[in-house]
Amino acid sequence: MNIRLTIAHLLVILLWGSAFAGIKHGLEGYSPEQLSFLRLLVGSLTLAFYAAITKMKLPEMKDLPVIFLFGFLGFAVYQTALNFGEQTVNAGAASLLVSTSPVFIGLLGRIFFQERVGRMYWTGAAISMGGIFLISTESGGGFELGMGVVFILIASLSESLYFVFQKKYLKKYGPLPFTAYTIWTAAFLMSFFAPGTLTQIASAPLGSTVSAVYLGVFPTVIAYFALAYIMAKSGASEAASSLYLTPAASFLVAWVWLGEIPSFLTIAGGMTTLLGVSLTYLPKRKELPESLLEIKG
C-alpha cells in the first residue's frame, strides 16, 4: 500500500472514529438540535467552497423533493438522534450501536425490494441484538433499552433508509455531489434552530464550539473525500477495511479525549454486535460501493 492510500485510510478511521467523542464534547455547550445545525452549517459552507472551485452542477428541480427527504433522513434525523443518544450513552458504545445499520439495511431491502436474506442474515441479526442488549445493560443499568440506546438505534435506522433508497441518485449525480446536496438540504431544514444556536455561541464553552466546527469540516466532509480517493484508487473491498476499524478508533479517541474507559460488558457487547453485523453484511458484499457512503458519526 502506498503512502497516500495509507494516509487516506488513517484519515477515514480516525476522523469517523473521532466524531462520537466530538459529539460528546460538543454537547457540553449545545443542545442536540443546536449541535446538529451548527455541524451541518459548517459542513455546508465547506462544501459550498468545494462546489465553487469544482463548478459542481446543481441538481434537477424535479429531484429536489427527494433530495430534501434524503437530507432529512440521512443527516438531520441521523445526527440529531445520535446527539440525543450520546447524552446518556458513551461515545464508544454509540459507535458500536450505529454500526448495526447493515442489520436494518437487510431488513428494509427484504420489505421494500423483496431482496432475499438467508439464514446467515437472521443469525447475524439475532447475534447483533444480543450485543445491543449487553451495551444497553451497561448504559441503562439493566436489561432494557434506555432512551439513549433507542435514539441511537433510530439514528441507525434513519441512516439505513437513506442508504437503501439513494442508489438511483448516487448513480445519477455521483457520490460527492449527492452528499453535498443532502447536507445542504439538511442544514436548511435544521435552520429552524438557527436563532437559538447563534445566541448560544456567545455563552457556550469555546471547546464545544471548536468541536462543532471540527465535526462539520472533518468527519462530515474530509473523511468522505478520503474514502472517495481510496475507492477510486483501490476499489471498495480495500476501503471496507477502514469501516471495520472505526469503532475501535472511536473507543481509543474517546479514551484519550474524554477519559472514557470501556467496561468489560461494553467490550463484550461490542464484539458480539460486530460479529453479528459482519454476518448480516456478507450476503450484501456486492453492494459495497454504495454502502461505504453511509454516514458515520
Side-chain angles (χ1 to χ4, degrees):
M1 185 180 294
N2 64 45
I3 186 64
R4 291 183 180 178
L5 276 176
T6 301
I7 293 173
H9 274 286
L10 289 174
L11 282 174
V12 172
I13 294 168
L14 292 176
L15 293 183
W16 272 344
S18 69
F20 298 91
I23 290 170
K24 199 79 171 178
H25 194 212
L27 289 171
E28 294 178 6
Y30 296 94
S31 70
E33 305 96 326
Q34 291 172 343
L35 181 61
S36 179
F37 168 69
L38 189 54
R39 176 180 179 178
L40 288 168
L41 177 62
V42 172
S44 293
L45 294 174
T46 306
L47 286 168
F49 180 72
Y50 169 78
I53 293 176
T54 59
K55 298 180 180 180
M56 183 188 297
K57 294 183 179 179
L58 295 176
E60 297 178 14
M61 291 292 294
K62 66 179 182 179
D63 291 333
L64 284 180
V66 175
I67 290 173
F68 266 90
L69 178 60
F70 284 134
F72 174 73
L73 290 172
F75 288 91
V77 173
Y78 172 79
Q79 290 186 3
T80 306
L82 180 58
N83 293 348
F84 271 104
E86 285 206 45
Q87 288 183 312
T88 55
V89 176
N90 288 341
S95 70
L96 290 167
L97 292 169
V98 166
S99 71
T100 59
S101 56
V103 177
F104 290 115
I105 289 168
L107 184 59
L108 291 169
R110 180 71 179 89
I111 293 172
F112 290 101
F113 301 106
Q114 288 74 53
E115 294 180 357
R116 297 181 62 183
V117 291
R119 293 180 181 178
M120 187 77 75
Y121 168 83
W122 294 114
T123 300
I127 292 173
S128 294
M129 286 303 299
I132 289 171
F133 275 105
L134 287 176
I135 295 171
S136 181
T137 298
E138 176 63 24
S139 301
F143 273 105
E144 58 181 12
L145 290 180
M147 284 307 300
V149 174
V150 171
F151 273 121
I152 296 175
L153 292 178
I154 289 173
S156 182
L157 174 59
S158 179
E159 173 189 53
S160 302
L161 287 166
Y162 174 82
F163 161 68
V164 167
F165 294 103
Q166 73 173 338
K167 298 177 186 177
K168 171 185 174 181
Y169 300 94
L170 277 179
K171 292 177 181 178
K172 181 176 181 178
Y173 293 111
L176 291 178
F178 181 75
T179 299
Y181 303 154
T182 51
I183 288 178
W184 290 333
T185 56
F188 176 80
L189 293 171
M190 293 299 294
S191 64
F192 176 81
F193 301 100
T197 305
L198 298 177
T199 302
Q200 182 65 17
I201 291 175
S203 58
L206 178 61
S208 295
T209 303
V210 171
S211 292
V213 173
Y214 171 83
L215 289 168
V217 175
F218 291 93
T220 306
V221 177
I222 302 301
Y224 279 98
F225 291 153
L227 186 64
Y229 177 81
I230 297 171
M231 292 177 65
K233 294 296 183 181
S234 58
S237 297
E238 182 175 324
S241 61
S242 297
L243 303 186
Y244 288 116
L245 291 173
T246 297
S250 179
F251 274 105
L252 179 61
V253 173
W255 180 26
V256 174
W257 189 350
L258 306 175
E260 289 185 0
I261 301 176
S263 68
F264 172 79
L265 199 58
T266 299
I267 294 174
M271 293 178 64
T272 303
T273 301
L274 291 177
L275 172 62
V277 168
S278 66
L279 292 177
T280 65
Y281 205 48
L282 288 175
K284 297 186 75 63
R285 61 189 180 276
K286 293 181 180 180
E287 299 180 12
L288 198 54
E290 291 89 352
S291 67
L292 285 173
L293 293 170
E294 296 171 27
I295 316 306
K296 299 293 176 185

